[in-house]
Amino acid sequence: MKILRRTLIASVALAAFATAPFAASAEGLIAIITPSHDNPFFKAEAVGAEARAKEMGYETLVLVHDDDANKQSELFDTAIARGAKAIILDNAGADATVGAVKRAKDAGIPSFLIDREITESGIAVSQIVSNNYQGAQLGAEEFVKLMGEKGKYAELVGKESDTNAGIRSSGYHDVIDQYPDLEMVAQQSANWSQTEAYSKMETILQANPEIKGVISGNDTMAMGAWAALEAAGRTDVIVVGFDGSNDVRDSIKAGGIKATVLQPAYRQAQLAVEQADQYLKTGKTGQDEKQLMDCVLINADNAGKLETFALAE
Amino acid sequence: MSRKMMTALCLLALVPLAACKIVKNPDPEQPAAEGAPPTAASGSDEARMSARAAEIWEPQVVPYIAAKATDIATLRAALVDGPDAAASYGFRPAAEGSPWNFIAKGEGKVVAEDRQSRAAKLDLDTDGDGKGDVTVQLGPVMKGTALRDSLNFLVFTDYRDQIEFAKLARALNDHAHAGLKLPEGDLTGRSVAFSGPFTIRTKGEAILLTPVTLEVR
């Protein structure tokens, strides 16, 4: 009897706070929307979120938007139509996503963002992102050390519409530009893409054969650059990436790429699910909407402890 | 972008900050002149965050640091077992994944100095063993975001994105640097009173302090 009453009160409270259509005893559905799983980073997010959601008793709906804001918008409609209780999202554009998140909010479905921010606050419940500025400074400090504080280098920048591309570049330069003997001879966007980075690197090498290092805005571009350098017999060039993927880990262990910066993508996705669960049950997360998570430098010293965007203790 | 251009941009970014300090109380009746310093609501991210840092420095930052500072000896003792053990003195957002920041005050003797580097610093001995135990950053380049992150009235959610929030940290560091007034010449052996924040991520990490007040005795 007591239990029943508590459940009833909880149901009424939940309906009032979350305006959920049904406060059924089953935990309900969580939609997990990310960019394409071709990039292992996004796959790790989806896997992390899905595993945590299932542990906590939710059903999951895993979808990919392929960095297409229109497709993302359709996926939001799907999630709304399917009666999702919450949406975990790595979004397809800081500006373009605001409308979709707002539509879900109006339908009574809270969104919990990971990895990438949107340009407005007060629409999503949580925005949990890696501290890209701190991480980029870590990567840059290691790069400077590896370069011996001098020499010519190139920078590969990510997709311009993504805030993370700009913040990482800015973090790199706040460190590297302090060293007058480090000279950037090329700075190009390879749009986070491995194949694009390969061809950009080929061109950069032709124009600047004296290049000594490459700092890259993410790991997939670092992998593309490294492949081009290997093909040109230039394995002397120092490459530093960002993300902490298993591919780059293996390259570091084999003496290829020198370092990367781990974003705790797996934990971040799990944390978003935990906050969603708490919000659905209590009407709040107990946290600020926007939250930063520190990144960790990965080099030959600790690469062995890295697995699927998480570092073993 | 060439290094020269970068340097030029960096220098440009410092201009409105300096201008803000001179024109402290503009006449509200007077229409804003062309090229007037940007306010916290207009201009580029850098210019706006620079103006914001200037706006809050005297009325908020300085009194906050003064009120929240803990004696360096107390902090050092609390930090022996790592940053979590000193949590009661620390500042950070509630969420996991952010490191602890501490606000220290104290006095020490200069045991080493580097005032040539862009990242100039003083090494202070604050416990009388003759060895440096607190590194005070003098800038112009100051590492980290300890200053921004120890001021708990500055909340990430209130800023558009990480870029803007990073510029705010940078602007606060620039402001700390601009406020330093040190005598010329070798300071080794001199006594220095300081207050300011630092970040500790791991047990045993060296203290790298961003000074809010610094006075050579």
Side-chain angles (χ1 to χ4, degrees):
Chain A
M1 196 56 200
K2 220 175 183 178
I3 292 167
L4 181 70
R5 239 186 73 208
R6 213 177 279 162
T7 315
L8 256 171
I9 290 167
S11 305
V12 170
L14 194 67
F17 280 118
T19 56
F22 303 102
S25 57
E27 302 291 357
L29 180 73
I30 287 186
I32 299 161
I33 306 175
T34 69
S36 162
H37 294 185
D38 288 351
N39 182 336
F41 182 85
F42 302 122
K43 185 170 184 193
E45 286 179 343
V47 170
E50 186 173 28
R52 195 77 186 103
K54 285 187 168 156
E55 274 168 27
M56 300 183 92
Y58 292 92
E59 284 175 81
T60 55
L61 176 65
V62 176
L63 304 165
V64 295
H65 56 57
D66 294 324
D67 280 301
D68 175 346
N70 292 325
K71 188 168 177 194
Q72 174 178 265
S73 182
E74 288 163 20
L75 298 179
F76 264 71
D77 290 336
T78 307
I80 293 167
R82 291 275 303 270
K85 291 278 185 296
I87 296 172
I88 309 294
L89 172 71
D90 190 344
N91 75 73
D95 284 316
T97 303
V98 171
V101 173
K102 198 161 191 304
R103 209 160 66 243
K105 188 190 180 193
D106 292 344
I109 304 170
S111 296
F112 300 81
L113 274 56
I114 50 175
D115 177 39
R116 299 174 181 169
E117 297 163 64
I118 53 174
T119 49
E120 280 187 42
S121 52
I123 304 171
V125 173
S126 295
Q127 299 192 49
I128 314 172
V129 297
S130 302
N131 193 340
N132 285 278
Y133 187 71
Q134 171 261 346
Q137 292 194 315
L138 278 182
E141 280 163 15
E142 183 75 359
F143 184 71
V144 167
K145 198 155 62 168
L146 290 161
M147 293 283 288
E149 302 186 8
K150 58 175 185 283
K152 294 186 174 172
Y153 73 97
E155 180 188 0
L156 292 173
V157 186
K159 207 183 189 109
E160 274 180 47
S161 65
D162 186 343
T163 305
N164 288 343
I167 188 74
R168 286 177 203 165
S169 184
S170 153
Y172 286 159
H173 286 284
D174 275 358
V175 172
I176 297 173
D177 295 355
Q178 298 169 33
Y179 297 88
D181 296 333
L182 281 166
E183 186 190 347
M184 184 166 72
V185 293
Q187 182 184 42
Q188 292 197 34
S189 172
N191 292 306
W192 303 132
S193 152
Q194 188 159 343
T195 48
E196 219 172 298
Y198 187 95
S199 58
K200 290 273 162 74
M201 192 69 241
E202 278 184 319
T203 319
I204 291 171
L205 256 186
Q206 275 161 15
N208 308 281
E210 73 286 10
I211 203 167
K212 203 175 125 189
V214 178
I215 192 155
S216 168
N218 82 346
D219 274 356
T220 47
M221 294 192 296
M223 288 299 288
W226 180 251
L229 289 163
E230 261 188 324
R234 288 299 308 278
T235 52
D236 58 304
V237 176
I238 291 154
V239 179
V240 169
F242 197 109
D243 278 346
S245 72
N246 286 357
D247 288 342
V248 166
R249 172 201 66 193
D250 294 342
S251 180
I252 291 172
K253 285 164 89 174
I257 291 172
K258 292 292 180 292
T260 184
V261 176
L262 168 67
Q263 300 192 66
Y266 193 83
R267 177 65 198 136
Q268 203 166 90
Q270 295 207 314
L271 188 60
V273 172
E274 288 164 20
Q275 292 187 8
D277 178 65
Q278 194 177 349
Y279 182 82
L280 291 172
K281 287 177 175 153
T282 68
K284 51 181 185 259
T285 65
Q287 309 289 349
D288 289 335
E289 176 186 333
K290 288 171 81 164
Q291 306 161 40
L292 289 171
M293 289 182 86
D294 259 16
C295 301
V296 182
L297 180 74
I298 302 292
N299 57 21
D301 297 339
N302 61 355
K305 288 197 244 170
L306 179 63
E307 176 59 49
T308 321
F309 300 97
L311 203 58
E313 289 298 321
Chain B
M1 208 185 287
S2 75
R3 218 180 61 233
K4 263 186 198 147
M5 251 182 89
M6 279 285 182
T7 315
L9 279 174
C10 288
L11 285 171
L12 258 176
L14 290 173
V15 168
L17 197 132
C20 280
K21 285 199 88 172
I22 297 159
V23 192
K24 225 169 190 173
N25 291 305
D27 185 352
E29 300 294 301
Q30 195 111 6
E34 241 175 76
T39 66
S42 72
S44 72
D45 283 356
E46 263 169 52
R48 281 185 301 108
M49 290 305 107
S50 178
R52 171 96 176 116
E55 240 170 58
I56 62 175
W57 189 264
E58 288 296 335
Q60 286 183 271
V61 178
V62 172
Y64 183 92
I65 296 292
K68 306 280 184 178
T70 304
D71 196 72
I72 186 70
T74 310
L75 285 179
R76 190 176 10 248
L79 282 164
V80 165
D81 295 319
D84 287 335
S88 60
Y89 300 104
F91 301 85
R92 70 173 182 189
E96 73 177 63
S98 297
W100 286 110
N101 301 282
F102 302 93
I103 303 175
K105 63 178 174 189
E107 204 171 321
K109 195 172 265 187
V110 179
V111 293
E113 65 164 16
D114 171 6
R115 294 174 74 187
Q116 301 309 311
S117 162
R118 295 268 305 150
K121 58 185 199 258
L122 295 177
D123 279 339
L124 301 185
D125 168 27
T126 62
D127 61 3
D129 67 355
K131 284 179 287 195
D133 45 55
V134 172
T135 300
V136 178
Q137 307 196 78
L138 302 179
V141 173
M142 299 219 194
K143 284 171 75 170
T145 56
L147 187 45
R148 179 196 68 191
D149 296 340
S150 63
L151 300 169
N152 64 5
F153 56 88
L154 298 177
V155 177
F156 180 29
T157 306
D158 297 338
Y159 293 83
R160 188 197 62 229
D161 57 25
Q162 290 186 61
I163 297 179
E164 198 180 67
F165 201 47
K167 300 286 182 209
L168 176 64
R170 179 75 190 266
L172 286 164
N173 286 358
D174 287 348
H175 219 82
H177 165 71
L180 295 176
K181 289 179 197 73
L182 292 177
E184 297 290 322
D186 192 351
L187 295 179
T188 309
R190 307 267 306 257
S191 191
V192 171
F194 62 86
S195 71
F198 59 91
T199 305
I200 296 289
R201 291 188 160 79
T202 55
K203 185 177 160 178
E205 188 180 340
I207 295 176
L208 184 67
L209 184 125
T210 306
V212 171
T213 63
L214 191 67
E215 194 190 331
V216 179
R217 293 273 160 88

